[in-house]
Amino acid sequence: MATTKRMNQILENMGFEPEEGKMIVVSYAPENLSDTIARLLKAAFQYFNFYALSFCKESIVLLPFSTYWADVKKDAVLKKEGILELPYSSIRSVEVSETGLNYRIDIQLEDEVISLSTQQAELSLMRMSAMYSMEDWTCVHSWHKNNLKGTLKALKEIGAA
């Protein structure tokens, strides 16, 4: 189970210094409606690509979750594969906007934009973000839900800097 404590330990073991309360579950944002429908069809067959977006001391880190288990991918931890580190100095701006049941996060780097999607807190306990961010087996405590407001605010502040 990917509890806050476990996620922070993983990041610390990899040499990052995670900031308390600034981690959410994200996926890459769909490009258009067709891409959205294709992702829904893949979801029907249990194919998901979710990441923990974590604010760390010097960067934002995207840590991939396992496709079939609510935990971080083993290769990501052991071999540092599939991890995306975005140093704060490389981020030019960040825009956060509401899109349906999600928020869209566009991170502008020098030569590209990374577009992410994160599920809104109100329904997150009934969606995939809860599965990946459970604090215990009651299925009512989610670090994604608890951290969403503060993490989105921190992202917007990067964009305003």
Side-chain angles (χ1 to χ4, degrees), residues 3 10 17 21 23 26 37 42 54 56 71-72 76 78 82 91 99 102 104 110 112 119-121 139 142 144 150:
T3 64
I10 289 169
E17 296 178 46
M23 180 172 19
V26 299
I37 293 168
K42 286 179 182 178
S54 181
C56 294
D71 200 1
V72 176
L78 298 175
I91 300 173
T99 58
N102 296 339
R104 183 181 177 98
E110 188 172 312
E112 68 178 313
Q119 297 173 353
Q120 294 175 355
C139 298
S142 159
H144 171 83

Side-chain angles (χ1 to χ4, degrees), residues 88-120:
Y88 295 122
S89 61
S90 71
I91 300 173
R92 301 293 175 244
S93 66
V94 178
E95 289 184 31
V96 178
S97 57
E98 193 171 329
T99 58
L101 300 174
N102 296 339
Y103 290 101
R104 183 181 177 98
I105 303 165
D106 290 315
I107 302 173
Q108 176 69 53
L109 304 174
E110 188 172 312
D111 57 352
E112 68 178 313
V113 176
I114 297 174
S115 296
L116 304 169
S117 181
T118 190
Q119 297 173 353
Q120 294 175 355

Side-chain angles (χ1 to χ4, degrees), residues 45-57:
F45 296 102
Q46 306 298 316
Y47 179 76
F48 309 108
N49 285 311
F50 286 93
Y51 302 81
L53 178 149
S54 181
F55 272 73
C56 294
K57 184 177 180 183

Side-chain angles (χ1 to χ4, degrees), residues 50-52 62-66 71-74 76 81-84:
F50 286 93
Y51 302 81
L62 288 168
L63 197 57
F65 284 108
S66 171
D71 200 1
V72 176
K73 280 188 178 177
K74 195 178 281 189
E81 289 181 1
I83 295 170
L84 180 60

Side-chain angles (χ1 to χ4, degrees), residues 24 53 55 60 94 96 105 151-159:
I24 58 175
L53 178 149
F55 272 73
I60 292 174
V94 178
V96 178
I105 303 165
T151 304
L152 291 177
K153 181 179 182 222
L155 284 164
K156 290 176 185 176
E157 288 172 358
I158 292 174

